[in-house]
Short mmCIF file of all heavy atoms in Angstrom, two decimals:
data_model
loop_
_atom_site.label_atom_id
_atom_site.label_comp_id
_atom_site.label_asym_id
_atom_site.label_seq_id
_atom_site.Cartn_x
_atom_site.Cartn_y
_atom_site.Cartn_z
N MET K 1164 8.40 -10.85 -11.28
CA MET K 1164 7.44 -9.99 -10.60
C MET K 1164 8.11 -9.32 -9.44
O MET K 1164 8.81 -9.96 -8.66
CB MET K 1164 6.25 -10.82 -10.19
CG MET K 1164 5.17 -9.97 -9.53
SD MET K 1164 3.62 -10.79 -9.20
CE MET K 1164 3.10 -11.25 -10.82
N ALA K 1165 7.89 -8.04 -9.29
CA ALA K 1165 8.49 -7.28 -8.19
C ALA K 1165 7.57 -7.25 -6.98
O ALA K 1165 6.38 -7.52 -7.07
CB ALA K 1165 8.76 -5.84 -8.66
N GLN K 1166 8.16 -6.89 -5.85
CA GLN K 1166 7.37 -6.76 -4.59
C GLN K 1166 7.90 -5.56 -3.84
O GLN K 1166 9.09 -5.32 -3.78
CB GLN K 1166 7.54 -8.00 -3.74
CG GLN K 1166 6.91 -7.86 -2.37
CD GLN K 1166 7.11 -9.13 -1.51
OE1 GLN K 1166 6.80 -10.22 -1.98
NE2 GLN K 1166 7.62 -8.96 -0.31
N LYS K 1167 6.97 -4.76 -3.34
CA LYS K 1167 7.35 -3.64 -2.44
C LYS K 1167 6.45 -3.71 -1.20
O LYS K 1167 5.31 -4.11 -1.26
CB LYS K 1167 7.09 -2.31 -3.18
CG LYS K 1167 8.03 -2.08 -4.33
CD LYS K 1167 8.08 -0.65 -4.75
CE LYS K 1167 9.06 -0.43 -5.88
NZ LYS K 1167 10.41 -0.28 -5.45
N GLN K 1168 7.07 -3.35 -0.07
CA GLN K 1168 6.35 -3.38 1.19
C GLN K 1168 6.45 -2.05 1.91
O GLN K 1168 7.51 -1.42 1.89
CB GLN K 1168 6.86 -4.52 2.07
CG GLN K 1168 5.99 -4.81 3.29
CD GLN K 1168 6.41 -6.06 4.02
OE1 GLN K 1168 7.55 -6.41 4.07
NE2 GLN K 1168 5.41 -6.77 4.53
N TYR K 1169 5.34 -1.65 2.54
CA TYR K 1169 5.27 -0.37 3.23
C TYR K 1169 4.66 -0.56 4.62
O TYR K 1169 3.80 -1.37 4.78
CB TYR K 1169 4.40 0.62 2.43
CG TYR K 1169 4.92 0.83 1.03
CD1 TYR K 1169 4.40 0.08 -0.02
CD2 TYR K 1169 5.91 1.75 0.77
CE1 TYR K 1169 4.88 0.25 -1.32
CE2 TYR K 1169 6.39 1.94 -0.53
CZ TYR K 1169 5.86 1.19 -1.56
OH TYR K 1169 6.35 1.36 -2.85
N HIS K 1170 5.15 0.25 5.58
CA HIS K 1170 4.49 0.33 6.86
C HIS K 1170 3.54 1.52 6.80
O HIS K 1170 3.96 2.66 6.54
CB HIS K 1170 5.49 0.51 8.00
CG HIS K 1170 4.79 0.51 9.34
ND1 HIS K 1170 4.37 1.66 9.92
CD2 HIS K 1170 4.44 -0.52 10.12
CE1 HIS K 1170 3.76 1.34 11.05
NE2 HIS K 1170 3.82 0.02 11.20
N VAL K 1171 2.25 1.26 6.96
CA VAL K 1171 1.21 2.29 6.78
C VAL K 1171 0.64 2.68 8.15
O VAL K 1171 0.28 1.82 8.94
CB VAL K 1171 0.12 1.77 5.84
CG1 VAL K 1171 -1.00 2.77 5.70
CG2 VAL K 1171 0.72 1.46 4.46
N THR K 1172 0.56 4.00 8.37
CA THR K 1172 0.02 4.49 9.61
C THR K 1172 -1.45 4.93 9.43
O THR K 1172 -1.83 5.35 8.34
CB THR K 1172 0.84 5.66 10.13
OG1 THR K 1172 0.82 6.71 9.14
CG2 THR K 1172 2.28 5.27 10.43
N GLY K 1173 -2.20 4.79 10.49
CA GLY K 1173 -3.58 5.28 10.50
C GLY K 1173 -4.66 4.23 10.19
O GLY K 1173 -5.83 4.53 10.22
N MET K 1174 -4.24 2.99 9.90
CA MET K 1174 -5.23 1.97 9.61
C MET K 1174 -5.79 1.42 10.94
O MET K 1174 -5.05 1.16 11.85
CB MET K 1174 -4.62 0.80 8.85
CG MET K 1174 -4.14 1.11 7.48
SD MET K 1174 -3.71 -0.38 6.51
CE MET K 1174 -2.45 -1.16 7.52
N SER K 1175 -7.14 1.25 10.94
CA SER K 1175 -7.72 0.74 12.20
C SER K 1175 -8.87 -0.28 11.96
O SER K 1175 -9.34 -0.87 12.95
CB SER K 1175 -8.27 1.92 13.03
OG SER K 1175 -9.28 2.59 12.30
N CYS K 1176 -9.29 -0.48 10.71
CA CYS K 1176 -10.41 -1.38 10.48
C CYS K 1176 -10.39 -1.93 9.06
O CYS K 1176 -9.55 -1.57 8.25
CB CYS K 1176 -11.72 -0.60 10.74
SG CYS K 1176 -11.98 0.74 9.57
N GLU K 1177 -11.35 -2.78 8.79
CA GLU K 1177 -11.47 -3.39 7.47
C GLU K 1177 -11.76 -2.37 6.38
O GLU K 1177 -11.44 -2.59 5.20
CB GLU K 1177 -12.47 -4.51 7.44
CG GLU K 1177 -12.01 -5.76 8.20
CD GLU K 1177 -10.73 -6.36 7.65
OE1 GLU K 1177 -10.56 -6.43 6.42
OE2 GLU K 1177 -9.82 -6.71 8.46
N HIS K 1178 -12.45 -1.29 6.75
CA HIS K 1178 -12.72 -0.23 5.79
C HIS K 1178 -11.39 0.39 5.29
O HIS K 1178 -11.22 0.69 4.11
CB HIS K 1178 -13.62 0.84 6.35
CG HIS K 1178 -13.80 2.02 5.45
ND1 HIS K 1178 -14.57 1.98 4.31
CD2 HIS K 1178 -13.25 3.27 5.46
CE1 HIS K 1178 -14.49 3.17 3.68
NE2 HIS K 1178 -13.71 3.96 4.38
N CYS K 1179 -10.44 0.54 6.22
CA CYS K 1179 -9.14 1.07 5.88
C CYS K 1179 -8.44 0.14 4.87
O CYS K 1179 -7.84 0.57 3.91
CB CYS K 1179 -8.27 1.17 7.14
SG CYS K 1179 -8.91 2.25 8.43
N VAL K 1180 -8.53 -1.16 5.16
CA VAL K 1180 -7.91 -2.18 4.29
C VAL K 1180 -8.50 -2.06 2.88
O VAL K 1180 -7.77 -2.02 1.88
CB VAL K 1180 -8.14 -3.58 4.88
CG1 VAL K 1180 -7.73 -4.65 3.85
CG2 VAL K 1180 -7.40 -3.76 6.18
N ALA K 1181 -9.82 -2.00 2.80
CA ALA K 1181 -10.49 -1.89 1.50
C ALA K 1181 -10.11 -0.62 0.76
O ALA K 1181 -9.89 -0.63 -0.46
CB ALA K 1181 -12.01 -1.95 1.69
N SER K 1182 -9.99 0.50 1.47
CA SER K 1182 -9.64 1.79 0.85
C SER K 1182 -8.24 1.71 0.25
O SER K 1182 -8.01 2.22 -0.88
CB SER K 1182 -9.70 2.91 1.88
OG SER K 1182 -11.01 3.10 2.32
N ILE K 1183 -7.31 1.15 0.98
CA ILE K 1183 -5.92 1.06 0.51
C ILE K 1183 -5.87 0.12 -0.71
O ILE K 1183 -5.24 0.42 -1.72
CB ILE K 1183 -4.96 0.60 1.62
CG1 ILE K 1183 -4.84 1.78 2.60
CG2 ILE K 1183 -3.62 0.17 1.08
CD1 ILE K 1183 -4.04 1.42 3.84
N LYS K 1184 -6.52 -1.03 -0.59
CA LYS K 1184 -6.51 -1.98 -1.71
C LYS K 1184 -7.05 -1.34 -2.96
O LYS K 1184 -6.52 -1.49 -4.06
CB LYS K 1184 -7.32 -3.22 -1.37
CG LYS K 1184 -6.59 -4.20 -0.51
CD LYS K 1184 -7.40 -5.46 -0.33
CE LYS K 1184 -6.65 -6.48 0.45
NZ LYS K 1184 -7.39 -7.74 0.58
N GLU K 1185 -8.15 -0.55 -2.84
CA GLU K 1185 -8.78 0.06 -3.97
C GLU K 1185 -7.87 1.08 -4.65
O GLU K 1185 -7.65 1.06 -5.88
CB GLU K 1185 -10.09 0.74 -3.57
CG GLU K 1185 -10.83 1.40 -4.69
CD GLU K 1185 -12.12 2.06 -4.24
OE1 GLU K 1185 -12.63 1.77 -3.17
OE2 GLU K 1185 -12.60 2.93 -5.01
N GLU K 1186 -7.26 1.97 -3.88
CA GLU K 1186 -6.38 3.00 -4.41
C GLU K 1186 -5.12 2.41 -5.03
O GLU K 1186 -4.68 2.79 -6.13
CB GLU K 1186 -6.01 4.02 -3.36
CG GLU K 1186 -7.11 4.98 -2.98
CD GLU K 1186 -7.52 5.94 -4.08
OE1 GLU K 1186 -6.69 6.27 -4.96
OE2 GLU K 1186 -8.69 6.32 -4.09
N VAL K 1187 -4.46 1.54 -4.27
CA VAL K 1187 -3.19 0.99 -4.74
C VAL K 1187 -3.39 0.09 -5.99
O VAL K 1187 -2.56 0.06 -6.86
CB VAL K 1187 -2.45 0.22 -3.59
CG1 VAL K 1187 -1.20 -0.44 -4.10
CG2 VAL K 1187 -2.11 1.23 -2.48
N SER K 1188 -4.50 -0.62 -6.05
CA SER K 1188 -4.75 -1.51 -7.18
C SER K 1188 -4.87 -0.72 -8.50
O SER K 1188 -4.66 -1.31 -9.57
CB SER K 1188 -6.07 -2.29 -6.96
OG SER K 1188 -5.90 -3.20 -5.94
N GLU K 1189 -5.17 0.55 -8.43
CA GLU K 1189 -5.30 1.36 -9.63
C GLU K 1189 -3.96 1.83 -10.21
O GLU K 1189 -3.92 2.36 -11.32
CB GLU K 1189 -6.20 2.58 -9.36
CG GLU K 1189 -7.63 2.18 -9.04
CD GLU K 1189 -8.49 3.36 -8.70
OE1 GLU K 1189 -8.05 4.50 -8.77
OE2 GLU K 1189 -9.68 3.12 -8.35
N VAL K 1190 -2.88 1.64 -9.46
CA VAL K 1190 -1.56 2.07 -9.94
C VAL K 1190 -1.13 1.08 -11.04
O VAL K 1190 -1.21 -0.15 -10.86
CB VAL K 1190 -0.53 2.07 -8.78
CG1 VAL K 1190 0.88 2.37 -9.31
CG2 VAL K 1190 -0.93 3.08 -7.73
N PRO K 1191 -0.65 1.58 -12.16
CA PRO K 1191 -0.23 0.71 -13.24
C PRO K 1191 0.84 -0.30 -12.82
O PRO K 1191 1.76 0.07 -12.06
CB PRO K 1191 0.32 1.70 -14.28
CG PRO K 1191 -0.34 3.00 -14.01
CD PRO K 1191 -0.55 3.01 -12.53
N GLY K 1192 0.70 -1.53 -13.27
CA GLY K 1192 1.66 -2.57 -12.92
C GLY K 1192 1.30 -3.41 -11.73
O GLY K 1192 1.88 -4.50 -11.55
N VAL K 1193 0.38 -2.96 -10.92
CA VAL K 1193 0.02 -3.69 -9.69
C VAL K 1193 -0.86 -4.87 -10.04
O VAL K 1193 -1.87 -4.73 -10.74
CB VAL K 1193 -0.70 -2.77 -8.69
CG1 VAL K 1193 -1.24 -3.57 -7.52
CG2 VAL K 1193 0.21 -1.69 -8.21
N SER K 1194 -0.47 -6.06 -9.56
CA SER K 1194 -1.25 -7.27 -9.81
C SER K 1194 -1.91 -7.75 -8.54
O SER K 1194 -2.95 -8.44 -8.59
CB SER K 1194 -0.40 -8.38 -10.41
OG SER K 1194 0.65 -8.72 -9.55
N GLU K 1195 -1.37 -7.42 -7.37
CA GLU K 1195 -1.92 -7.86 -6.09
C GLU K 1195 -1.53 -6.89 -4.98
O GLU K 1195 -0.39 -6.40 -4.93
CB GLU K 1195 -1.42 -9.28 -5.77
CG GLU K 1195 -1.99 -9.83 -4.46
CD GLU K 1195 -1.45 -11.21 -4.09
OE1 GLU K 1195 -0.37 -11.57 -4.58
OE2 GLU K 1195 -2.12 -11.90 -3.33
N VAL K 1196 -2.47 -6.67 -4.08
CA VAL K 1196 -2.23 -5.82 -2.88
C VAL K 1196 -2.67 -6.61 -1.65
O VAL K 1196 -3.79 -7.08 -1.59
CB VAL K 1196 -3.04 -4.50 -2.90
CG1 VAL K 1196 -2.76 -3.66 -1.69
CG2 VAL K 1196 -2.75 -3.72 -4.20
N VAL K 1197 -1.71 -6.83 -0.73
CA VAL K 1197 -2.00 -7.56 0.47
C VAL K 1197 -1.80 -6.62 1.65
O VAL K 1197 -0.76 -6.02 1.81
CB VAL K 1197 -1.05 -8.76 0.65
CG1 VAL K 1197 -1.34 -9.53 1.94
CG2 VAL K 1197 -1.16 -9.72 -0.55
N VAL K 1198 -2.89 -6.46 2.45
CA VAL K 1198 -2.85 -5.54 3.58
C VAL K 1198 -2.95 -6.35 4.86
O VAL K 1198 -3.87 -7.14 5.06
CB VAL K 1198 -4.01 -4.51 3.54
CG1 VAL K 1198 -3.92 -3.56 4.71
CG2 VAL K 1198 -3.94 -3.73 2.20
N ASP K 1199 -1.97 -6.20 5.76
CA ASP K 1199 -1.95 -6.83 7.07
C ASP K 1199 -2.27 -5.78 8.07
O ASP K 1199 -1.45 -4.98 8.49
CB ASP K 1199 -0.60 -7.46 7.33
CG ASP K 1199 -0.55 -8.21 8.66
OD1 ASP K 1199 -1.36 -7.92 9.56
OD2 ASP K 1199 0.35 -9.06 8.78
N LEU K 1200 -3.56 -5.72 8.45
CA LEU K 1200 -4.05 -4.68 9.37
C LEU K 1200 -3.32 -4.71 10.70
O LEU K 1200 -2.88 -3.67 11.21
CB LEU K 1200 -5.56 -4.83 9.57
CG LEU K 1200 -6.26 -3.81 10.48
CD1 LEU K 1200 -6.08 -2.41 9.97
CD2 LEU K 1200 -7.72 -4.16 10.66
N ALA K 1201 -3.15 -5.88 11.30
CA ALA K 1201 -2.51 -6.03 12.60
C ALA K 1201 -1.08 -5.50 12.60
O ALA K 1201 -0.63 -4.85 13.54
CB ALA K 1201 -2.56 -7.47 13.06
N ALA K 1202 -0.37 -5.74 11.51
CA ALA K 1202 1.04 -5.34 11.43
C ALA K 1202 1.19 -3.96 10.82
O ALA K 1202 2.28 -3.39 10.87
CB ALA K 1202 1.82 -6.36 10.55
N GLY K 1203 0.14 -3.39 10.25
CA GLY K 1203 0.23 -2.12 9.59
C GLY K 1203 1.05 -2.15 8.33
O GLY K 1203 1.71 -1.19 7.99
N ALA K 1204 1.04 -3.32 7.66
CA ALA K 1204 1.87 -3.51 6.50
C ALA K 1204 1.05 -3.66 5.23
O ALA K 1204 0.00 -4.27 5.21
CB ALA K 1204 2.74 -4.78 6.66
N VAL K 1205 1.57 -3.13 4.16
CA VAL K 1205 0.99 -3.25 2.82
C VAL K 1205 2.06 -3.81 1.92
O VAL K 1205 3.14 -3.24 1.79
CB VAL K 1205 0.47 -1.91 2.27
CG1 VAL K 1205 -0.03 -2.07 0.86
CG2 VAL K 1205 -0.63 -1.37 3.17
N THR K 1206 1.76 -4.95 1.28
CA THR K 1206 2.72 -5.57 0.35
C THR K 1206 2.06 -5.51 -1.04
O THR K 1206 0.91 -5.88 -1.20
CB THR K 1206 2.99 -7.02 0.72
OG1 THR K 1206 3.48 -7.05 2.10
CG2 THR K 1206 4.03 -7.65 -0.19
N VAL K 1207 2.83 -5.00 -2.01
CA VAL K 1207 2.35 -4.87 -3.36
C VAL K 1207 3.20 -5.71 -4.29
O VAL K 1207 4.41 -5.69 -4.26
CB VAL K 1207 2.44 -3.35 -3.80
CG1 VAL K 1207 1.90 -3.18 -5.20
CG2 VAL K 1207 1.75 -2.45 -2.81
N HIS K 1208 2.49 -6.47 -5.15
CA HIS K 1208 3.15 -7.33 -6.15
C HIS K 1208 2.78 -6.83 -7.52
O HIS K 1208 1.64 -6.36 -7.75
CB HIS K 1208 2.64 -8.77 -6.03
CG HIS K 1208 2.88 -9.39 -4.68
ND1 HIS K 1208 4.07 -10.02 -4.34
CD2 HIS K 1208 2.13 -9.43 -3.56
CE1 HIS K 1208 4.00 -10.43 -3.10
NE2 HIS K 1208 2.83 -10.09 -2.61
N GLY K 1209 3.74 -6.89 -8.43
CA GLY K 1209 3.47 -6.47 -9.81
C GLY K 1209 4.72 -6.30 -10.62
O GLY K 1209 5.81 -6.72 -10.20
N ALA K 1210 4.54 -5.69 -11.77
CA ALA K 1210 5.67 -5.45 -12.67
C ALA K 1210 5.91 -3.97 -12.83
O ALA K 1210 4.98 -3.17 -12.89
CB ALA K 1210 5.33 -6.07 -14.04
N ASP K 1211 7.17 -3.57 -12.86
CA ASP K 1211 7.56 -2.16 -13.03
C ASP K 1211 6.83 -1.26 -12.05
O ASP K 1211 6.26 -0.23 -12.43
CB ASP K 1211 7.27 -1.70 -14.47
CG ASP K 1211 8.03 -2.50 -15.50
OD1 ASP K 1211 9.20 -2.81 -15.24
OD2 ASP K 1211 7.46 -2.84 -16.54
N LEU K 1212 6.90 -1.63 -10.74
CA LEU K 1212 6.23 -0.85 -9.72
C LEU K 1212 6.92 0.48 -9.47
O LEU K 1212 8.13 0.55 -9.32
CB LEU K 1212 6.17 -1.65 -8.41
CG LEU K 1212 5.37 -2.96 -8.47
CD1 LEU K 1212 5.52 -3.72 -7.15
CD2 LEU K 1212 3.92 -2.70 -8.78
N ASP K 1213 6.15 1.54 -9.46
CA ASP K 1213 6.64 2.90 -9.25
C ASP K 1213 6.43 3.29 -7.78
O ASP K 1213 5.32 3.50 -7.35
CB ASP K 1213 5.89 3.84 -10.17
CG ASP K 1213 6.38 5.28 -10.08
OD1 ASP K 1213 6.84 5.71 -8.99
OD2 ASP K 1213 6.36 5.96 -11.09
N ASP K 1214 7.53 3.32 -7.02
CA ASP K 1214 7.45 3.59 -5.60
C ASP K 1214 6.73 4.88 -5.27
O ASP K 1214 5.87 4.92 -4.37
CB ASP K 1214 8.88 3.63 -5.03
CG ASP K 1214 8.88 3.76 -3.49
OD1 ASP K 1214 8.38 2.85 -2.82
OD2 ASP K 1214 9.42 4.79 -3.01
N GLU K 1215 7.00 5.92 -6.03
CA GLU K 1215 6.38 7.21 -5.78
C GLU K 1215 4.85 7.14 -5.99
O GLU K 1215 4.08 7.70 -5.19
CB GLU K 1215 6.98 8.27 -6.69
CG GLU K 1215 6.54 9.70 -6.39
CD GLU K 1215 7.28 10.70 -7.26
OE1 GLU K 1215 8.51 10.59 -7.37
OE2 GLU K 1215 6.61 11.60 -7.73
N ARG K 1216 4.42 6.46 -7.02
CA ARG K 1216 2.99 6.35 -7.30
C ARG K 1216 2.29 5.50 -6.26
O ARG K 1216 1.18 5.77 -5.89
CB ARG K 1216 2.75 5.79 -8.74
CG ARG K 1216 3.14 6.83 -9.78
CD ARG K 1216 2.87 6.32 -11.16
NE ARG K 1216 1.51 6.55 -11.46
CZ ARG K 1216 0.98 6.39 -12.67
NH1 ARG K 1216 1.75 5.98 -13.65
NH2 ARG K 1216 -0.30 6.64 -12.88
N LEU K 1217 2.98 4.44 -5.77
CA LEU K 1217 2.38 3.58 -4.76
C LEU K 1217 2.21 4.36 -3.44
O LEU K 1217 1.15 4.29 -2.81
CB LEU K 1217 3.26 2.35 -4.54
CG LEU K 1217 3.34 1.37 -5.72
CD1 LEU K 1217 4.39 0.31 -5.46
CD2 LEU K 1217 1.95 0.71 -5.95
N ARG K 1218 3.23 5.10 -3.08
CA ARG K 1218 3.13 5.92 -1.85
C ARG K 1218 2.04 6.96 -2.00
O ARG K 1218 1.26 7.20 -1.07
CB ARG K 1218 4.46 6.62 -1.57
CG ARG K 1218 5.54 5.71 -1.12
CD ARG K 1218 6.93 6.39 -1.07
NE ARG K 1218 7.93 5.49 -0.65
CZ ARG K 1218 8.25 5.27 0.64
NH1 ARG K 1218 7.64 5.90 1.61
NH2 ARG K 1218 9.22 4.41 0.91
N ALA K 1219 1.94 7.59 -3.18
CA ALA K 1219 0.87 8.57 -3.41
C ALA K 1219 -0.52 7.95 -3.30
O ALA K 1219 -1.42 8.59 -2.79
CB ALA K 1219 1.09 9.23 -4.77
N ALA K 1220 -0.64 6.73 -3.77
CA ALA K 1220 -1.94 6.05 -3.70
C ALA K 1220 -2.35 5.79 -2.25
O ALA K 1220 -3.53 5.92 -1.87
CB ALA K 1220 -1.91 4.75 -4.48
N ILE K 1221 -1.37 5.40 -1.42
CA ILE K 1221 -1.63 5.17 0.02
C ILE K 1221 -2.07 6.48 0.68
O ILE K 1221 -3.05 6.52 1.44
CB ILE K 1221 -0.41 4.58 0.70
CG1 ILE K 1221 -0.17 3.16 0.17
CG2 ILE K 1221 -0.59 4.55 2.23
CD1 ILE K 1221 1.20 2.54 0.57
N VAL K 1222 -1.39 7.56 0.34
CA VAL K 1222 -1.75 8.88 0.92
C VAL K 1222 -3.12 9.34 0.40
O VAL K 1222 -3.93 9.85 1.16
CB VAL K 1222 -0.64 9.92 0.57
CG1 VAL K 1222 -1.08 11.34 0.93
CG2 VAL K 1222 0.66 9.57 1.28
N GLU K 1223 -3.39 9.09 -0.87
CA GLU K 1223 -4.69 9.44 -1.45
C GLU K 1223 -5.80 8.69 -0.73
O GLU K 1223 -6.92 9.21 -0.58
CB GLU K 1223 -4.69 9.06 -2.94
CG GLU K 1223 -5.99 9.37 -3.64
CD GLU K 1223 -6.32 10.84 -3.76
OE1 GLU K 1223 -5.39 11.67 -3.76
OE2 GLU K 1223 -7.50 11.16 -3.86
N ALA K 1224 -5.53 7.47 -0.28
CA ALA K 1224 -6.53 6.69 0.49
C ALA K 1224 -6.76 7.25 1.88
O ALA K 1224 -7.69 6.85 2.54
CB ALA K 1224 -6.11 5.22 0.54
N GLY K 1225 -5.85 8.14 2.31
CA GLY K 1225 -6.01 8.78 3.59
C GLY K 1225 -5.07 8.28 4.70
O GLY K 1225 -5.30 8.54 5.89
N TYR K 1226 -3.97 7.63 4.32
CA TYR K 1226 -3.08 7.06 5.30
C TYR K 1226 -1.65 7.53 5.05
O TYR K 1226 -1.35 8.14 4.04
CB TYR K 1226 -3.15 5.52 5.24
CG TYR K 1226 -4.57 5.10 5.39
CD1 TYR K 1226 -5.40 4.88 4.28
CD2 TYR K 1226 -5.18 4.99 6.67
CE1 TYR K 1226 -6.75 4.58 4.43
CE2 TYR K 1226 -6.52 4.71 6.81
CZ TYR K 1226 -7.28 4.50 5.68
OH TYR K 1226 -8.62 4.23 5.81
N GLY K 1227 -0.77 7.25 5.99
CA GLY K 1227 0.60 7.64 5.86
C GLY K 1227 1.53 6.47 5.67
O GLY K 1227 1.18 5.35 5.99
N VAL K 1228 2.71 6.76 5.13
CA VAL K 1228 3.75 5.75 4.98
C VAL K 1228 4.90 6.14 5.92
O VAL K 1228 5.42 7.23 5.86
CB VAL K 1228 4.29 5.69 3.51
CG1 VAL K 1228 5.40 4.66 3.40
CG2 VAL K 1228 3.14 5.38 2.57
N ASP K 1229 5.20 5.21 6.89
CA ASP K 1229 6.22 5.47 7.89
C ASP K 1229 7.50 4.78 7.51
O ASP K 1229 7.59 3.54 7.64
CB ASP K 1229 5.72 5.00 9.25
CG ASP K 1229 6.62 5.39 10.38
OD1 ASP K 1229 7.78 5.83 10.12
OD2 ASP K 1229 6.23 5.29 11.52
N ASP K 1230 8.49 5.55 7.05
CA ASP K 1230 9.77 4.97 6.62
C ASP K 1230 10.71 4.67 7.81
O ASP K 1230 11.69 3.96 7.62
CB ASP K 1230 10.50 5.92 5.68
CG ASP K 1230 9.78 6.09 4.35
OD1 ASP K 1230 9.22 5.08 3.87
OD2 ASP K 1230 9.75 7.21 3.80
N SER K 1231 10.33 5.08 9.00
CA SER K 1231 11.20 4.84 10.13
C SER K 1231 10.99 3.43 10.71
O SER K 1231 11.76 2.96 11.54
CB SER K 1231 10.93 5.83 11.25
OG SER K 1231 9.65 5.70 11.82
N ILE K 1232 9.95 2.72 10.27
CA ILE K 1232 9.65 1.40 10.75
C ILE K 1232 9.72 0.44 9.54
O ILE K 1232 9.03 0.63 8.58
CB ILE K 1232 8.25 1.30 11.38
CG1 ILE K 1232 8.12 2.28 12.53
CG2 ILE K 1232 7.94 -0.13 11.84
CD1 ILE K 1232 6.76 2.41 13.10
N ALA K 1233 10.53 -0.59 9.66
CA ALA K 1233 10.62 -1.58 8.59
C ALA K 1233 9.39 -2.41 8.62
O ALA K 1233 8.94 -2.94 9.64
CB ALA K 1233 11.83 -2.47 8.80
N ALA K 1234 8.69 -2.52 7.46
CA ALA K 1234 7.45 -3.30 7.40
C ALA K 1234 7.75 -4.77 7.25
O ALA K 1234 8.79 -5.16 6.82
CB ALA K 1234 6.63 -2.83 6.21
#
């Protein structure tokens, strides 16, 4: 099982967490989405994870992915 982690910008509440979990969970191969609101981190577990699709799902939920900060 693969794992990918992202630093997500713009999250401020539990609604943000739910929105990201909902969008990212729809990406093929995703088995689990863990969102750490305090750290601004999203960890995705699954098989054959597509980085581009995962990033697009986070953006679709209304948030950004900050590559300048290690999650």
Side-chain angles (χ1 to χ4, degrees):
M1164 183 171 298
Q1166 172 181 309
K1167 293 198 178 276
Q1168 190 169 36
Y1169 303 95
H1170 184 268
V1171 177
T1172 59
M1174 294 191 302
S1175 61
C1176 64
E1177 288 301 317
H1178 174 73
C1179 301
V1180 171
S1182 295
I1183 288 174
K1184 281 186 176 183
E1185 181 179 343
E1186 287 293 333
V1187 174
S1188 292
E1189 293 177 6
V1190 174
V1193 172
S1194 61
E1195 181 182 22
V1196 180
V1197 179
V1198 180
D1199 183 337
L1200 180 60
V1205 175
T1206 305
V1207 182
H1208 301 273
D1211 300 320
L1212 297 174
D1213 183 326
D1214 186 62
E1215 189 174 315
R1216 290 182 83 171
L1217 293 170
R1218 288 171 181 272
I1221 293 169
V1222 171
E1223 179 68 25
Y1226 305 93
V1228 178
D1229 188 346
D1230 292 324
S1231 68
I1232 301 173

